[in-house]
Amino acid sequence: MAEETIAALATPPGEGGIGIIRISGYKSFDIAREIFLSSRRNIDEIKDRYLYHGYIKDFSNDKVIDEVLIVFMKAPYTYTREDVVEINCHGGIIPVKETLELIYSHGARPAEPGEFTKRAFLNGRLDLSQAEGVIDLITSKTNLLKDVALQQLRGSLKEKVENLRDDLMTIMANLEAKIDFPDEDIEVLSQDELMQIVQSNLEEIKRLISSYDKGRIIKEGINTIIVGKPNVGKSSLLNILLGEDRAIVTEVPGTTRDTIEEVINLDGIPLKIVDTAGIRQTEDKVEKIGVNKTKSLVEKADLILIVLDKSRPLSSEDYDILKLCENKTAIVLLNKSDLKSRLEIDKIREYFSENNILNISALEASGIDRLKDLINLLVFEGTVYQQDSFVITNVRQYSSLKKVEKDLESALNAFQNLLSEDLISIDIKNALEALGEISGDTVSDNVIDEIFSRFCIGK
């Protein structure tokens, strides 16, 4: 990578006000000088981090391609810690395309997905956890995930990992001193002191691990399905939550024959919600497929919204749905509460807690705020994420932390059972290696390549 200069469009392709092209590598300044015609001064006089006006020009045929603003940024104080040039073109498809082709013809190559951030990682500007914060920040669909990703990008997890590694290195140094110089009078920490460090680090690891359930929901959302028999108001509920008419609503039972999937930002929580086909006995082949698919989705859902028609008595189909969702995280919504109630609510309490039963009216859009509050209560136990708190959102980081937990528990057990320093040091080394997987110090090239392949090309 150090021998190659890369370039790519850093803004979305298509028509827009500005298209920003980024060049990174040791040849970036030379390439820019060969294609940029300054409107005010000689190119050799351009200063670091000054924005200059001029033109991109193919001097080989005396053709001006675009009027631009350009900035030269010297290493190491750049995103990649390499020499970087950014060209602000007009955001049309043709000016950007011709400018990039000219850059490539002068010695740069197209950047791979995530290669700019990968270079930032390899050159020591970011650790791997910060790089993963970059992709989460780019792909965040809620303000909550954005805040969490920004915190990780700023190095919150990096700092925690570094502190943990420093403590474990202290333990290793003391253990190795005892192993290598058993008869020397070397001042080392006592076994109780070393055990206390292990215990303290183990508690911190457990706190990080326990945050993953909340973090996973912030990042991935809640897999939520709406179930009920036909014509009870499932699609109307979906439309209200979305704030638009996404699902077809009619008085004809069985209108929704397949699932409709949408993502709703529910007070910062991504709600991956599925409106399912109504569950009932049917001879219609297409509808039957939809019903079977609904039953399958119930098994995988994090949250189930059961919609019942409060204006009608419970039917055998309603009972089948209640039994299907029993012992799962579910909210029972008694729809059409604007009409006279004919529903046997006591029967529903046999399956679900009173606290999880709500009256709503999809027609009048009433009860929806209470539904949102209850979802937050079920998901976050009523607590609201604070900006200064920390959560793990990444399954790779979570898996590495679980390894650290296992190794530290083994080390603590070895200390308590007065096992040899050699055996204890093996557990500490394994814990250090697992922590290195989070920061990227001990991770394989294949894992690194896989992580950065998820980035867009310009980042």
Side-chain angles (χ1 to χ4, degrees), residues 144 214 376 380 382-387 389:
L144 198 54
K214 185 180 293 186
N376 180 65
F380 285 157
T383 62
V384 179
Y385 173 79
Q386 303 294 327
Q387 268 198 329
S389 62

Side-chain angles (χ1 to χ4, degrees), residues 150-436:
L150 187 59
Q151 188 183 59
Q152 185 160 312
L153 174 58
R154 294 174 65 183
S156 56
L157 180 56
K158 176 185 178 182
E159 183 179 352
K160 290 179 183 295
V161 169
E162 287 177 346
N163 291 337
L164 290 166
R165 284 173 65 87
D166 287 345
D167 283 348
L168 296 187
M169 289 299 295
T170 298
I171 296 173
M172 279 299 302
N174 280 266
L175 291 174
E176 289 179 356
K178 290 182 178 181
I179 294 169
D180 295 338
F181 308 102
D183 299 323
E184 299 291 333
D185 187 18
I186 299 175
E187 186 175 345
V188 294
L189 296 177
S190 69
Q191 178 162 310
D192 286 343
E193 289 173 320
L194 294 177
M195 283 180 61
Q196 181 59 43
I197 297 174
V198 173
Q199 182 66 52
S200 175
N201 279 261
L202 182 57
E203 291 172 0
E204 176 64 17
I205 291 294
K206 288 181 179 293
R207 279 193 292 271
L208 292 173
I209 290 172
S210 66
S211 74
Y212 176 67
D213 286 341
K214 185 180 293 186
R216 180 185 64 83
I217 290 171
I218 291 173
K219 181 176 181 178
E220 300 176 6
I222 310 169
N223 290 318
T224 307
I225 65 169
I226 304 174
V227 299
K229 67 184 182 183
N231 208 31
V232 293
K234 300 186 302 300
S235 296
S236 297
L237 174 63
L238 175 64
N239 289 339
I240 290 171
L241 292 173
L242 284 172
E244 61 178 275
D245 291 336
R246 172 65 175 85
I248 299 172
V249 178
T250 74
E251 295 180 358
V252 179
T255 301
T256 303
R257 297 190 169 201
D258 197 2
T259 59
I260 298 174
E261 302 183 18
E262 289 288 348
V263 177
I264 300 169
N265 183 352
L266 188 66
D267 296 334
I269 305 170
L271 207 66
K272 296 192 291 186
I273 197 162
V274 180
D275 179 22
T276 62
I279 297 178
R280 68 170 179 173
Q281 296 296 324
T282 179
E283 297 303 319
D284 186 298
K285 291 184 179 180
V286 176
E287 189 178 353
K288 188 178 290 187
I289 293 172
V291 171
N292 290 333
K293 188 174 181 180
T294 297
K295 292 179 178 179
S296 175
L297 288 170
V298 166
E299 296 299 319
K300 303 174 184 177
D302 296 321
L303 175 66
I304 304 169
L305 303 181
I306 305 170
V307 183
L308 302 176
D309 185 346
K310 192 177 181 181
S311 67
R312 297 178 181 274
L314 289 172
S315 66
S316 59
E317 292 160 341
D318 291 324
Y319 280 113
D320 289 341
I321 293 167
L322 293 172
K323 291 176 184 177
L324 179 67
C325 302
E326 192 176 12
N327 300 321
K328 299 185 182 299
T329 303
I331 300 174
V332 181
L333 302 174
L334 309 183
N335 191 27
K336 305 184 183 180
S337 59
D338 51 303
L339 302 177
K340 182 178 178 180
S341 176
R342 300 178 62 196
L343 196 70
E344 306 91 334
I345 297 179
D346 288 342
K347 298 291 184 181
I348 301 173
R349 295 191 185 105
E350 296 177 7
Y351 296 91
F352 296 99
S353 164
E354 175 76 31
N355 295 329
N356 287 21
I357 303 174
L358 289 180
N359 289 299
I360 68 166
S361 171
L363 179 65
E364 298 179 349
S366 64
I368 303 304
D369 288 339
R370 289 182 60 205
L371 171 60
K372 293 178 180 179
D373 291 340
L374 183 53
I375 291 174
N376 180 65
L377 184 66
L378 290 174
V379 174
F380 285 157
E381 298 178 348
T383 62
V384 179
Y385 173 79
Q386 303 294 327
Q387 268 198 329
D388 58 350
S389 62
F390 183 82
V391 293
I392 294 291
T393 63
N394 184 296
V395 66
R396 186 191 70 83
Q397 297 165 3
Y398 171 78
S399 298
S400 295
L401 288 170
K402 291 293 288 184
K403 293 179 188 177
V404 179
E405 179 186 39
K406 181 180 178 182
D407 293 327
L408 291 186
E409 286 177 341
S410 179
L412 191 61
N413 182 65
F415 270 121
Q416 292 168 343
N417 288 282
L418 304 178
L419 299 184
S420 70
E421 285 84 2
D422 287 323
L423 293 175
I424 299 172
S425 67
I426 292 173
D427 292 325
I428 300 300
K429 285 178 182 177
N430 289 338
L432 280 166
E433 185 171 346
L435 282 173

Side-chain angles (χ1 to χ4, degrees), residues 122-142:
L122 294 175
N123 291 328
R125 184 182 177 275
L126 304 172
D127 83 338
L128 202 55
S129 69
Q130 289 175 295
E132 288 171 316
V134 172
I135 188 62
D136 284 348
L137 188 61
I138 292 171
T139 58
S140 59
K141 293 180 174 61
T142 67

